[in-house]
Amino acid sequence: MNIIDGKLISQQVKDEVKAKAAKLKESKGIEVCLAVILVGSDPASQVYVRNKKKACEYVGFKSLSYELPEETTQEELLQLIDKLNNDETVHGILVQMPVPEHIDEKAVIDAISPRKDVDGFHPMNVGELCIGEPGFVSCTPAGIIQLLKRSNIDISGKECVIVGRSNIVGKPLALLMLRENATVTIAHSKTKNLKEVCKRADILIAAVGKAKMITEDYVKEGAVVIDVGINRNQDTGKLCGDVDFEGVSEKCSYITPVPGGVGPMTIAMLMNNCLESATGE
Ligand code: NAP
């Protein structure tokens, strides 16, 4: 069994981005710039935003930070997005989700210019992904493809089962795996005989949000197992995935740990999307 080291692979991606960003600055005088907006003071969101700013610093991007009070109105937020949409020096705009309840998440996503939507949440980018055109791809699914490719795991022709159908992980990941020529099944809470469905998988991806739900009984001998889940144990405070690592690692050929698997890839791919936005690739 091989452990897929997401920390190492995300570091490689960030170092590649850093080198390309430096070249862009040198050759064209363009400094990649990401604007990050946080509304309210949710502690988890504050940590995510801080990590994104740190990553920008590491790869040599400029980051603009807007930390707005909880009572910010939707109108005020949309005005800020509009200003950033029209600012040519800004290449990526990210609004940290979730936004407070009085703000309509969809209106916010729709307001971001698809050309600056480095999270890949705008319906236009989702549509482009669906029809196989270039556009920004949601960072966690894009990171999973990189983990597989950089571990030399063949995707083409493989049976892939994804457990979870969210808009930010399961669905875009299914489209990406399809683009890579996998035969894709998406399972969810209404799926019958989930164990049997999962056991068909050469590549099994769990994006459920239920601690250690995927035990060895769900896994075919020699399968590749990707664990997207991030669950915190209430008693110990420790993080664990959707996969029961101990049991499953005995049976699979490759597995991602939690933490240190899919998690670090998300920010690395965000940096990559910002770079692509600036280079126009
Ligand atoms: P989500 O929006 O809550 O979606 C969960 C999905 O799992 C839903 O499609 C749901 O089915 C399905 N599901 C729930 N219980 C199930 C069951 N018993 N059997 C089969 N399917 C079941 O979650 P998400 O945003 O996709 O996130 C999933 C996990 O990934 C979470 O732990 C989250 O923290 C983590 N995550 C990690 C990263 C990262 O960077 N590593 C990024 C994003 C998310 P229905 O649609 O039928 O309800």
Side-chain angles (χ1 to χ4, degrees):
M1 185 272 305
N2 301 285
I3 292 182
I4 299 176
D5 188 343
K7 258 191 174 163
L8 187 80
I9 297 175
S10 67
Q11 190 61 44
Q12 288 167 357
V13 172
K14 281 192 286 185
D15 286 338
E16 288 165 17
V17 170
K18 185 178 181 170
K20 287 183 192 161
K23 224 171 158 184
L24 187 69
K25 205 169 175 182
E26 201 185 285
S27 62
K28 295 195 178 150
I30 297 173
E31 186 177 26
V32 184
C33 173
L34 171 67
V36 180
I37 306 171
L38 172 65
V39 187
S41 52
D42 175 56
S45 293
Q46 283 174 330
V47 174
Y48 293 139
V49 165
R50 205 179 315 135
N51 289 341
K52 286 166 190 173
K53 282 195 271 189
K54 263 203 240 161
C56 282
E57 233 169 79
Y58 180 80
V59 297
F61 293 177
K62 182 177 174 185
S63 71
L64 298 176
S65 179
Y66 298 87
E67 293 180 18
L68 309 178
E70 183 83 24
E71 57 276 10
T72 302
T73 65
Q74 180 165 318
E75 194 50 39
E76 285 165 336
L77 178 57
L78 295 186
Q79 269 170 15
L80 173 59
I81 293 171
D82 187 52
K83 188 182 99 171
L84 295 168
N85 280 342
N86 291 305
D87 182 341
E88 275 178 23
T89 65
V90 173
H91 305 100
I93 304 170
L94 183 152
V95 178
Q96 185 62 48
M97 299 296 171
V99 284
E101 268 179 19
H102 65 275
I103 296 176
D104 175 12
E105 186 178 299
K106 181 160 166 44
V108 173
I109 292 172
D110 289 354
I112 297 173
S113 161
R115 291 187 306 106
K116 299 189 180 186
D117 165 44
V118 284
D119 256 338
F121 293 165
H122 191 284
M124 185 152 136
N125 283 317
V126 177
E128 301 284 25
L129 173 63
C130 195
I131 58 172
E133 290 293 321
F136 291 117
V137 175
S138 175
C139 300
T140 302
I144 292 170
I145 299 293
Q146 286 303 311
L147 283 180
L148 293 169
K149 287 192 169 173
R150 290 172 188 248
S151 306
N152 296 317
I153 294 165
D154 270 342
I155 305 175
S156 182
K158 296 287 164 64
E159 285 281 346
C160 172
V161 176
I162 300 165
V163 191
R165 57 174 163 180
S166 70
N167 288 339
I168 60 164
V169 187
K171 279 184 212 160
L173 183 57
L175 292 165
L176 283 178
M177 291 300 278
L178 196 59
R179 189 188 272 186
E180 298 295 332
N181 297 317
T183 303
V184 182
T185 303
I186 311 176
H188 44 78
S189 67
K190 307 286 186 294
T191 298
K192 298 255 185 336
N193 305 322
L194 185 63
K195 272 186 196 168
E196 281 66 38
V197 172
C198 289
K199 267 195 153 163
R200 294 206 304 257
D202 300 313
I203 302 173
L204 176 62
I205 304 172
V208 188
K210 296 229 153 83
K212 300 188 181 186
M213 180 189 131
I214 304 294
T215 59
E216 57 190 283
D217 308 348
Y218 290 73
V219 179
K220 179 168 83 174
E221 194 79 44
V224 173
V225 179
I226 305 290
D227 190 352
V228 188
I230 302 178
N231 310 291
R232 195 173 285 281
N233 184 305
Q234 298 294 352
D235 304 327
T236 63
K238 272 190 162 179
L239 290 185
C240 79
D242 291 342
V243 174
D244 176 29
F245 187 90
E246 280 73 35
V248 170
S249 57
E250 300 280 307
K251 216 171 173 186
C252 63
S253 58
Y254 286 85
I255 190 165
T256 59
V258 177
V262 174
M265 291 304 290
T266 301
I267 288 190
M269 297 316 290
L270 175 69
M271 297 299 112
N272 192 57
N273 279 353
C274 289
L275 176 77
E276 285 182 1
S277 177
T279 56
E281 273 171 13

